[in-house]
Amino acid sequence: MITIQNTKLKATFNELGAELTSLTNLENGKEIMWSGNPDFWGGQSPVLFPTVGALKNEQYIFEGKTYELPRHGFARRRVFDIKESSENEVIFELKSDEESLKIYPFEFSLEIKYTLIENKLTVSYRVKNLSDKEMYFSLGAHPGFAIDTENGMNYNDYEIAFSDDEKLEIHPLVDNLISNETKIVELENKTLPLSYELFSKDALVMTTMKSRELILKNKKNHHKIIFTFSNFPYFGIWAAKNADFVCLEPWQGIADLENHNQELAEKFGILKLEKNQDWIADWAIEIE
């Protein structure tokens, strides 16, 4: 496990998947991240690459050949190298190899940089195409934040405030694929109350959300985290059934649409990088 810290925060990571496994507020000892209890969901903050969500039949087609990829891709199951590290910053790197090329025919570099500044953690991604051809990919974050249900608190005491949305247009999931239909979830003063029932039919998937700042807050004690992100056009909000966490998930790409033809280059939300081109995006949480 790798640790960085400053006077406000301490963050711990697993080289497997370059996953953020703990973020502790050193001023009060409070753990910000979900515990990873496998009875509900064993993840904590997996990196979704080179696909986000499920592929139709767990397969895609590229240049006439069919490949298989698991849900959310393979990066979360790979050990990253530590490219650089200091007291309050670490950079992980994953590069293509013989095994990855069998299921994803592109040479690439994926860097993930975690930086602590005061009471804020910033997570930055850089994907570079090292192939001699165009590269197609998606990338998503999947951090799960703990919901305090002790000391008289419960899940319904929490809410998510949106900076720029009065309502949310949701794409329902059907067998892990994106439905062709949408539904509207009305917000209360740009705020979504949390409840276990909210996720009874899986994640809330949005492709038209305008907000780039969300605030997860407790209505009783006013504890909150401010979540910001850039260069991620899509967003998901999810929790496992009856579990005391919520995931705030900025994405570049989503699961396959129900009627997708499985061609990778024609997948909704897929990104194309030219040779030697970079793609950069980030998200951050500020603890208050």
Side-chain angles (χ1 to χ4, degrees):
M1 304 298 268
I2 309 302
T3 298
I4 60 174
Q5 72 177 74
N6 59 17
T7 59
K8 304 280 188 179
L9 297 171
K10 178 181 178 181
T12 303
F13 312 92
N14 194 334
E15 291 174 80
L16 179 64
E19 186 170 8
L20 171 64
T21 59
S22 175
L23 182 63
T24 306
N25 182 340
L26 295 178
E27 294 184 338
N28 59 17
K30 183 179 177 64
E31 175 59 56
I32 306 302
M33 303 304 296
W34 160 245
S35 67
N37 183 344
D39 291 341
F40 297 95
W41 177 54
Q44 291 175 283
S45 185
V47 178
L48 317 182
F49 176 87
T51 52
V52 173
L55 298 173
K56 195 173 185 179
N57 300 323
E58 295 192 338
Q59 295 178 330
Y60 68 91
I61 301 168
F62 183 71
E63 295 183 338
K65 184 176 179 180
T66 299
Y67 298 85
E68 294 190 3
L69 271 183
R71 190 179 187 188
H72 294 321
F74 57 76
R76 59 186 177 146
R77 296 183 172 93
R78 301 296 296 273
V79 175
F80 282 62
D81 293 324
I82 299 174
K83 186 174 182 179
E84 296 178 24
S85 65
S86 63
E87 185 177 4
N88 55 19
E89 183 175 275
V90 61
I91 302 175
F92 293 94
E93 183 178 36
L94 179 68
K95 285 190 171 183
S96 52
D97 57 23
E98 290 184 8
E99 290 304 309
S100 70
L101 289 169
K102 293 176 183 178
I103 56 176
Y104 181 64
F106 305 98
E107 295 183 27
F108 67 88
S109 168
L110 165 60
E111 290 184 9
I112 306 173
K113 179 169 69 174
Y114 296 95
T115 306
L116 292 176
I117 302 176
E118 296 294 329
N119 60 334
K120 186 175 185 179
L121 171 69
T122 298
V123 186
S124 304
Y125 305 89
R126 179 189 294 271
V127 177
K128 185 169 186 177
N129 179 10
L130 303 179
S131 299
D132 290 328
K133 58 187 176 184
E134 296 169 339
M135 170 182 166
Y136 295 88
F137 78 98
S138 290
L139 187 147
H142 199 316
F145 301 106
I147 298 294
D148 186 1
T149 56
E150 298 180 350
N151 303 315
M153 301 292 179
N154 61 64
Y155 202 88
N156 299 69
D157 292 327
Y158 284 79
E159 61 187 13
I160 300 172
F162 294 77
S163 61
D164 296 291
D165 289 278
E166 302 284 351
K167 59 185 179 181
L168 303 176
E169 184 179 17
I170 306 299
H171 293 263
L173 289 167
V174 179
D175 295 328
N176 293 326
L177 302 181
I178 301 295
S179 170
N180 296 318
E181 300 180 356
T182 61
K183 67 176 184 178
I184 299 298
V185 174
E186 298 289 346
L187 301 180
E188 303 172 10
N189 297 318
K190 296 185 179 180
T191 300
L192 177 69
L194 289 190
S195 67
Y196 293 134
E197 295 74 26
L198 186 62
F199 307 107
S200 61
K201 296 183 179 180
D202 213 322
L204 309 183
V205 176
M206 294 158 282
T207 59
T208 59
M209 190 181 85
K210 295 179 289 186
S211 299
R212 293 297 178 264
E213 177 183 286
L214 283 67
I215 300 177
L216 174 63
K217 54 186 175 179
N218 185 307
K219 293 177 286 186
K220 286 186 175 179
N221 62 21
H222 306 294
H223 287 165
K224 63 183 179 181
I225 64 171
I226 301 170
F227 188 95
T228 55
F229 59 99
S230 64
N231 209 23
F232 287 107
Y234 314 130
F235 206 85
I237 304 176
W238 175 76
K241 183 179 179 180
N242 297 329
D244 293 329
F245 70 87
V246 64
C247 290
L248 304 179
E249 307 178 40
W251 297 335
Q252 173 59 72
I254 57 174
D256 278 352
L257 302 179
E258 283 185 290
N259 60 350
H260 180 47
N261 61 12
Q262 296 183 278
E263 289 284 350
L264 185 66
E266 299 174 20
K267 178 178 170 62
F268 180 82
I270 201 76
L271 268 181
K272 180 175 73 172
L273 281 183
E274 303 294 338
K275 178 182 177 181
N276 292 325
Q277 186 177 1
D278 285 9
W279 173 85
I280 298 173
D282 62 77
W283 61 269
I285 51 172
E286 187 173 349
I287 312 303
E288 291 191 2

